[in-house]
Amino acid sequence: MSGRSCKGPFKILVLPGDGIGPEIIKEAVKVLKALGEKKGITFNFQYGLIGGAAIDETGVPLPEETVELGKQSDAILLGAVGGPKWDNLPPEIRPELGGLLKIRKVFDLYANLRPVMFFPELKNASPLKPEIIEGVDILMVRELTGGLYFGEKKRFTTEQGEQAVIDTLIYTEKEVERVVRLGFELAQKRRGKLTLVDKANVLESSRFWREITEEIKKEYPDVELSYMYVDNCAMQLIRNPRQFDVIVTENMFGDILTDEGAVLAGSIGLLPSASLNGKFGLYEPIHGSAPDIAGQNKANPLATILSAGMMLRYSLDCPEEALLIEKAVKAVLQKGYRTGDILEPGTALVTCEEMGDLVAEEILGGVYDEGLPL
Ligand code: IPM
Ligand code: MN
């Protein structure tokens, strides 16, 4: 074992949010507690409000108290926000804009890492052919605090008296540089391939990204850089996804492509994410609050559990423990347990809570010792 210490005490701010958020978060916390028990790590969980839950209780989607708690924490673990109940509020106080986008901005979480992994156990859960998705291992890096989602938005009337609208796409040089640089660094630690996805045949902002990327590239001669238009990328992802290693792209393209990426893994219920600023990060599943199945104990908690794994890796310096969570998830899938979204003939349907129990038991059971290859 290395001399590194992954003991804590770690302060984790837990934000369950709305819809299935509280259910999936409960299972991720359960798994972290099991890990703490097994490995002697102290986690101090503090709970806060965000999204619709915060609106109902305090009138705003991101209370100041939540921000303060976040500042005192080592990392934030988030469930999901939003739901029909709050859909008709003015945009800036809706859970998505005033809660999720705002917390990303407040903590300047500019790099959103969304790994797309292939699970051999689930190769038939994806609508894509097994031979297409076999061996897929992509790290999508989405810029998260700039671009269209954060630019000025307004309605106005033209000189001809027609209603019109503007959404503004702004990126500064620094904003592009920091996320592209991270893309290069991550590629260096993986298979050494980076693809910048853009729409440089049309957009000035894309040409700006390319110029900056060309400059940074000089510092990473060992990384093979390529460019791809976003429309082509959408196609290539389902035609030949194995060609990708690390993808870096602006906010909206990344939002769209990562949902597409989820299909490669089998279900959006499996994809975790890390939103980072250096070591500090917010960890959340990429799926939303799924109001249609909320409160029914049938959501898939694995994306949130895997997000807790990413938290161990990126914010808490516990890479071996992160691997342990991933192995435990794999073991449970290998044994044939499935939530409804990934159920197939010959597998056993379990509830959200049972899935969390199974992963926790796998960790406590210690079947998967450190160093065991995945
Ligand atoms: C995501 C979500 C959010 C986003 C929404 C809920 C605002 O789709 O995390 O991908 O667009 O970033
Ligand atoms: Mn999205």
Side-chain angles (χ1 to χ4, degrees):
M1 272 220 31
S2 61
R4 119 210 116 80
S5 91
C6 167
K7 293 274 168 254
F10 297 121
K11 272 195 186 168
I12 313 294
L13 173 61
V14 183
L15 304 174
D18 311 317
I20 58 170
E23 300 160 54
I24 53 179
I25 277 289
K26 197 168 148 230
E27 301 316 309
V29 168
K30 183 189 283 172
V31 167
L32 284 171
K33 283 184 176 160
L35 185 76
E37 199 182 317
K38 176 80 182 170
K39 296 277 170 184
I41 309 166
T42 309
F43 294 108
N44 292 321
F45 298 104
Q46 276 182 300
Y47 286 79
L49 291 167
I50 194 166
I55 295 173
D56 288 352
E57 206 144 306
T58 69
V60 293
L62 182 66
E64 194 45 45
E65 199 193 330
T66 300
V67 174
E68 278 313 309
L69 286 173
K71 285 183 185 160
Q72 296 156 20
S73 305
D74 296 301
I76 305 174
L77 186 63
L78 184 142
V81 303
K85 184 174 174 194
W86 308 281
D87 276 352
N88 296 320
L89 293 170
E92 57 298 346
I93 66 155
R94 277 182 51 169
E96 292 84 356
L97 220 64
L100 192 53
L101 262 62
K102 191 162 173 199
I103 197 168
R104 289 171 177 169
K105 193 73 173 176
V106 166
F107 287 100
D108 200 15
L109 305 169
Y110 63 87
N112 184 216
L113 274 48
R114 298 185 165 188
V116 176
M117 307 155 277
F118 166 73
F119 292 88
E121 300 78 17
L122 301 177
K123 65 171 183 232
N124 297 314
S126 170
L128 295 169
K129 294 195 190 96
E131 62 264 33
I132 296 221
I133 55 175
E134 219 126 58
V136 163
D137 178 8
I138 307 172
L139 181 57
M140 296 197 173
V141 182
R142 165 188 175 193
E143 200 292 325
L144 201 61
T145 49
L148 274 174
Y149 292 12
F150 290 92
E152 192 195 343
K153 313 167 193 321
K154 69 172 188 218
R155 301 283 183 115
F156 66 102
T157 309
T158 65
E159 281 171 15
Q160 291 73 33
E162 202 190 348
Q163 290 298 301
V165 65
I166 300 187
D167 273 306
T168 325
L169 196 163
I170 304 182
Y171 272 112
T172 68
E173 206 177 332
K174 275 209 190 80
E175 283 173 328
V176 177
E177 203 206 301
R178 61 186 184 175
V179 73
V180 169
R181 189 174 290 283
L182 183 66
F184 275 102
E185 266 153 30
L186 292 164
Q188 241 174 2
K189 294 189 196 125
R190 291 170 48 101
R191 300 191 302 281
K193 280 174 69 178
L194 178 67
T195 309
L196 175 70
V197 172
D198 63 22
K199 190 68 187 171
N201 50 348
V202 177
L203 299 177
E204 193 56 32
S205 55
S206 292
R207 290 189 280 273
F208 185 72
W209 274 68
R210 281 200 186 194
E211 278 162 31
I212 294 167
T213 305
E214 273 300 303
E215 278 304 305
I216 302 173
K217 176 182 144 186
K218 297 176 187 154
E219 297 169 44
Y220 300 88
D222 49 338
V223 174
E224 185 194 318
L225 172 71
S226 60
Y227 298 104
M228 190 180 278
Y229 296 145
V230 61
D231 44 355
N232 184 28
C233 183
M235 179 172 71
Q236 295 300 331
L237 271 174
I238 48 170
R239 255 193 87 228
N240 175 19
R242 271 190 301 270
Q243 70 185 284
F244 297 108
D245 179 13
V246 179
I247 289 177
V248 64
T249 189
E250 66 90 45
N251 199 345
M252 185 169 75
F253 294 159
D255 187 20
I256 298 168
L257 293 175
T258 51
D259 266 36
E260 190 186 356
V263 181
L264 302 170
S267 163
I268 198 162
L270 293 166
L271 258 68
S273 82
S275 305
L276 302 175
N277 182 329
K279 263 185 68 177
F280 186 77
L282 178 148
Y283 298 83
E284 56 173 324
I286 87 155
H287 60 69
S289 58
D292 52 322
I293 58 161
Q296 298 174 34
N297 194 19
K298 61 184 191 192
N300 185 347
L302 292 180
T304 318
I305 292 171
L306 291 168
S307 299
M310 290 188 86
M311 176 174 86
L312 289 160
R313 177 170 292 122
Y314 292 105
S315 286
L316 308 181
D317 280 330
C318 301
E320 287 165 20
E321 291 71 13
L323 207 56
L324 190 60
I325 290 195
E326 285 153 14
K327 284 176 183 170
V329 167
K330 238 176 125 57
V332 170
L333 292 173
Q334 251 158 26
K335 289 179 181 173
Y337 297 108
R338 304 281 188 275
T339 41
D341 56 322
I342 47 177
L343 189 70
E344 296 171 54
T347 60
L349 179 66
V350 296
T351 63
C352 177
E353 205 173 340
E354 285 164 344
M355 190 55 111
D357 287 340
L358 286 161
V359 177
E361 280 161 24
E362 209 58 60
I363 287 169
L364 288 170
V367 183
Y368 291 84
D369 284 337
E370 281 168 47
L372 195 83
L374 198 58

